[in-house]
Amino acid sequence: MSDGESTLSQAADVIEEASNHKILDVLARAGFAVMALLHVIVGAIALAVAFGQPGDADATGAIEQLAANPWGPAVMWGCVLASGGLSLWQASEATLRMRGKPRKERVSKLISSGFLAVAYGSVGFTFANFAVGLRGDSGDSTRDFSASLMANPLGQWVLVALGLTIIGIGIYFIHKGARRGFKEELYHFEGTRRGRIIDSLGVIGHIAKGAALNLTGLLFVIAAAKHNPEESTGLDGSLKALRDHAFGPYLLVAIGAGFIAYGIFALIRSRFGRM
């Protein structure tokens, strides 16, 4: 090994050791708890929407509910810190902690944890916007984003690729829930009655989240096919569109309950899960 490679390896060891620090562990667990709470709130809003009540059944709508109290700014900045810590932890999972693993395993982890690092960072950015008083409608933001893409020559195909990616992630969640792939993340209650209940929450929650992501991705694909950015409305729009179909309200109730189940599962994972 050359001196340059040795120096890089030593630097990576130092950074990896820092990523294993107790502070990052605490922040990441707090981040998981924040994401769990957002899922519970989104699920509750989806249930309300199913019964004709107003509300934005997505992360932005959930954050707006958290911000609507006298302690809102402090809560928002706390969530920014927790989301940022979780994003950094996922980034270290995608890179530093996979050194020495087989190539196939490294690539798989780079894609899965890398995507989560970006997603959690994006949620943290939304919290920061609310903390400084910048609030917007997520549906409008999604439509504006789609419109800006379609204004470019290859934008329509990029939008299709984005929609198919979201659908792929949805399928991953459904598959993970159906085969109980989450058990490797949470084995604290393995073999107990409580563990069986937690498994059920995990199955229901992952499948419901996957179904919602499939609907969201499908709307992006439809928007690109029709060359109409108004069709891409994000999670909130996809759930509200579902409500307008014959059996839509029943499916919306099922998805809302599933999001709450996922949130409870994620909250338990934040406390007892593998880090």
Side-chain angles (χ1 to χ4, degrees):
M1 181 182 291
S2 67
D3 290 343
E5 291 175 335
S6 176
T7 301
L8 287 175
S9 178
Q10 290 173 3
D13 288 339
V14 171
I15 297 173
E16 182 178 0
E17 184 177 350
S19 74
N20 290 324
H21 197 280
K22 182 66 175 178
I23 292 177
L24 184 58
D25 181 271
V26 171
L27 285 175
R29 288 188 184 276
F32 274 123
V34 168
M35 300 305 157
L37 183 58
L38 290 182
H39 279 84
V40 170
I41 296 174
V42 169
I45 295 173
L47 291 176
V49 168
F51 291 101
Q53 300 299 313
D56 293 329
D58 57 13
T60 302
I63 293 172
E64 187 173 14
Q65 294 293 322
L66 286 176
N69 65 81
W71 296 93
V75 172
M76 292 300 98
W77 285 119
C79 290
V80 169
L81 194 61
S83 300
L86 181 55
S87 179
L88 286 174
W89 182 81
Q90 287 289 358
S92 70
E93 281 277 287
T95 54
L96 296 171
R97 300 182 186 185
M98 294 306 293
R99 291 187 305 151
K101 299 289 185 181
R103 177 181 174 81
K104 183 177 180 181
E105 191 174 342
R106 288 198 319 258
V107 172
S108 175
K109 194 65 174 177
L110 178 63
I111 293 172
S112 60
S113 290
F115 173 82
L116 288 174
V118 173
Y120 294 143
S122 175
V123 174
F125 182 73
T126 303
F127 275 117
N129 281 339
F130 272 81
V132 298
L134 298 177
R135 306 182 183 190
D137 181 82
S138 59
D140 290 340
S141 299
T142 305
R143 283 188 288 266
D144 291 344
F145 171 73
S146 300
S148 65
L149 275 181
M150 289 185 187
N152 295 295
L154 297 177
Q156 186 173 3
W157 296 108
V158 173
L159 199 60
V160 169
L162 176 61
L164 292 177
T165 299
I166 295 173
I167 290 172
I169 295 168
I171 292 172
Y172 164 77
F173 268 93
I174 292 174
H175 182 252
K176 184 177 181 180
R179 70 177 182 86
R180 289 177 165 79
F182 51 81
K183 288 177 74 69
E184 62 188 31
E185 302 169 0
L186 182 61
Y187 46 79
H188 185 82
F189 300 102
E190 186 68 29
T192 66
R193 180 183 178 186
R194 190 177 300 177
R196 289 191 291 273
I197 294 173
I198 294 171
D199 279 356
S200 297
L201 290 172
V203 171
I204 295 169
H206 280 81
I207 291 176
K209 183 171 181 176
L213 287 171
N214 284 340
L215 287 171
T216 304
L218 182 61
L219 285 184
F220 276 110
V221 174
I222 291 173
K226 292 183 176 180
H227 204 79
N228 179 14
E230 294 296 319
E231 296 281 352
S232 59
T233 53
L235 177 61
D236 177 61
S238 64
L239 294 180
K240 287 177 179 174
L242 182 64
R243 179 188 59 188
D244 297 331
H245 290 79
F247 295 99
Y250 301 102
L251 292 174
L252 193 51
V253 167
I255 290 175
F259 263 72
I260 293 173
Y262 183 89
I264 296 171
F265 169 84
L267 189 61
I268 297 170
R269 191 252 185 269
S270 72
R271 173 63 180 85
F272 298 104
R274 178 193 64 80
M275 298 294 290

